[in-house]
Amino acid sequence: MTAARARPPADRLGIGPFVLLGATLVLLAGQAPSGLAPALVVVGVGLALSAAWRRVGRSAARGGEVVPVAVVLAYLLVVAPPNVVTEVLAGLGGVALLLWLGAGPDGAAGRWSRALDLLVVPLAALAIALGTTFILPSLPTSIGLATILLVAVMIGVAILLVRLSAGARAEAPSS
Amino acid sequence: MKDAARAFAEEATQAPRSPDLARPTLRSWLCYGVAGGLLVLAVAARTPVPLFAAVPLLIAPLAALLLAPSGRTPVALGWTEAGENTTVSISGAVTVPTTLDPRDLDLEIDIPAGLTQSAPLTLRTEGPSVSFSLSLRARDPVLALLALPRVRWRDALGLVQRPLPVEGSPLPIERCPLEANRLGTLRLDRTIVLPGETRSRALGDNGDFYGVRLMMPGDSPRRINWAATARSQNVYTNEFCLERTGDVLLLLDTRPTELGAAVDARLLGIARAAGLAIADGFLHERARVGLAVFGEFLVPTPLGGGRRQRYRIREALLGAQVAKVGGPSARAAFTARRFFPPGITTVVLSSLADESTRQLVLHLRRRGYPSIVLSPSPIASLEFAPSVPADEQTLARRLAALIRRHHVAQVWAEAPVVDWQDYWSLAGFSSFLKRGVRNRRLA
């Protein structure tokens, strides 16, 4: 027995998120101390590898396309000097990577543009982290990040509670 | 009542189902993985910058889980099947609750054995529903039940997914061999009241108009002849004449053979379609038809006529699967005597892949069931890998044909066998049946 699977037509490359991710990486490359040209080469290679992997990759290797671009992003973030611009670009890079992952071949075309409801929470978390780091200059960066970890734990606990209550409802005998 | 009891027993024996909860997808774990890597890197390089990139990757899957639909959100399915001969076109629509976006649904349909996909499954969003269409091709005659599709909701970024319960009914697909309707013109042995080859006649609720008589208790008001009643001032009812040509028993052998599960399933699908076609042909001519499905045990559908009997036979055939363990042949013949009168024409549908069918026919004959074996040939459905050279394929086919001929010859000693090669035609079986009846008459 075989199975036919269908979903709304997919956008294999995810052009919009891909452009956003590329632009963020290029801006981060501009912050690299080693100079723009070598960083741009690294960015170009990473983006090309990821795009090619996504386009021609087999289903068994699904998810692997994130590796080159994530490595490039991590490299640029590590070598970038810690300042307001790089930290904002880092947050933007995370969001762009998330959107590009969401626009993969097993997702529907245009879904990522409808993801605003979902993006509100991570963007708010990012805003809290950046706000507590920069608007309150007397506090160190770790305070902002600790706030975010606290938010993440709270969301995790909320999800746990919701799932437990849903499970209890499903197991309750119906009269 | 019996069906309700059976459903209750099945439900009671099933394991409790886990609630359909939203679960993270591979993409969520990728996000966590990348975020974790960035956290480790930040600690190792003593720089806070990667942590800001990790924040959205860490939070988004959690937010997706939080925003996933909760509670029972069933989707309503309506679907139909169209097409002729080998083409099967399936179209339908899934209507979702207003709380869900139909663009976030994925659909998966299991294609039963005997059908192949000729065009991809396509989806189209129309308002609160998703309409879909699927084109299949029936390479062989097939009688199958298309199970309810699996519908899955995924969030906009594909971070979380959740199966949705589907409300609807499975879709039966019938593609039966041709020439089945001509089978009914055969006059079978009458086995109801008296032996012999005379046609029986029964008066009852169905058939052709026969006459009128005074109404008696138990008669249906629908049979009242109002014109005769008005003329005579007495209540008269119509009588109908039902001519039967005899009784037929279809015995479907679902025991596993050495051909393997895939070939067994395919041949059983063909045999099911043939069974329904033969039943159709005889029921059309008002004969009584019974069905016995023999796997480990014999599951009978007692003799009957009319559209209801067709429905019963179709349901029984749809439920017939290749048995995990084959029962002894004597059991089939022994059990058949409890449900079917001896002497009725018996059509055994079997692949004749091994010795067990010969034993089955032998025991049936000893118990008083004159049998005719209709055997879908497995040679016609032989498939080879593309890497096998053509000459080796030819050799394998010749060897398979020799083995097949040997098996057919063995069974011929007990009962006539129709070696069914062209699955889309029952002409060979039909003409054989006519010839066989005529020969018996001459004898």
Side-chain angles (χ1 to χ4, degrees), chain A residues 15 19 29 32 34 36 38 42-43 48-49 53 56-57 61 64 76 95 107-108 113 118 130 132 138 151 153 162 169:
Chain A
I15 293 296
V19 170
S34 59
L36 183 62
V42 173
V43 168
L49 277 177
W53 195 321
V56 301
L76 292 175
V95 173
S113 59
L118 182 60
L130 291 169
T132 48
S138 60
V151 170
V153 169
V162 167
R169 274 202 305 275

Side-chain angles (χ1 to χ4, degrees), chain A:
Chain A
M1 186 178 287
T2 56
R5 179 179 288 183
R7 52 174 61 98
D11 179 6
R12 283 186 68 81
L13 195 57
I15 293 296
F18 189 71
V19 170
L20 181 64
L21 182 62
T24 311
L25 290 178
V26 168
L27 288 174
L28 271 172
Q31 302 290 318
S34 59
L36 183 62
L40 276 181
V41 170
V42 173
V43 168
V45 169
L47 286 174
L49 277 177
S50 285
W53 195 321
R54 173 167 284 187
R55 185 160 283 278
V56 301
R58 293 179 181 175
S59 58
R62 189 175 298 159
E65 74 263 23
V66 76
V67 173
V69 78
V71 167
V72 170
L73 178 66
Y75 165 72
L76 292 175
L77 294 178
V78 167
V79 298
N83 57 39
V84 179
V85 177
T86 52
E87 285 172 358
V88 169
L89 284 176
L92 196 61
V95 173
L97 188 61
L98 182 66
L99 285 175
W100 185 69
L101 265 174
D106 56 343
R111 267 189 181 176
W112 64 273
S113 59
R114 295 187 287 110
L116 279 179
D117 291 348
L118 182 60
L119 282 180
V120 165
V121 181
L123 284 176
L126 191 62
I128 292 169
L130 291 169
T132 48
T133 305
F134 302 122
I135 298 173
L136 305 173
S138 60
L139 295 174
T141 307
S142 56
I143 297 294
L145 295 169
T147 310
I148 290 312
L149 287 177
L150 188 63
V151 170
V153 169
M154 286 171 69
I155 292 176
V157 169
I159 289 168
L160 195 65
L161 288 175
V162 167
R163 289 173 70 109
L164 282 178
S165 61
R169 274 202 305 275
E171 286 171 11
S174 57
S175 56

Side-chain angles (χ1 to χ4, degrees), chain B residues 63 141 232 294 409:
Chain B
S232 64
F294 181 54

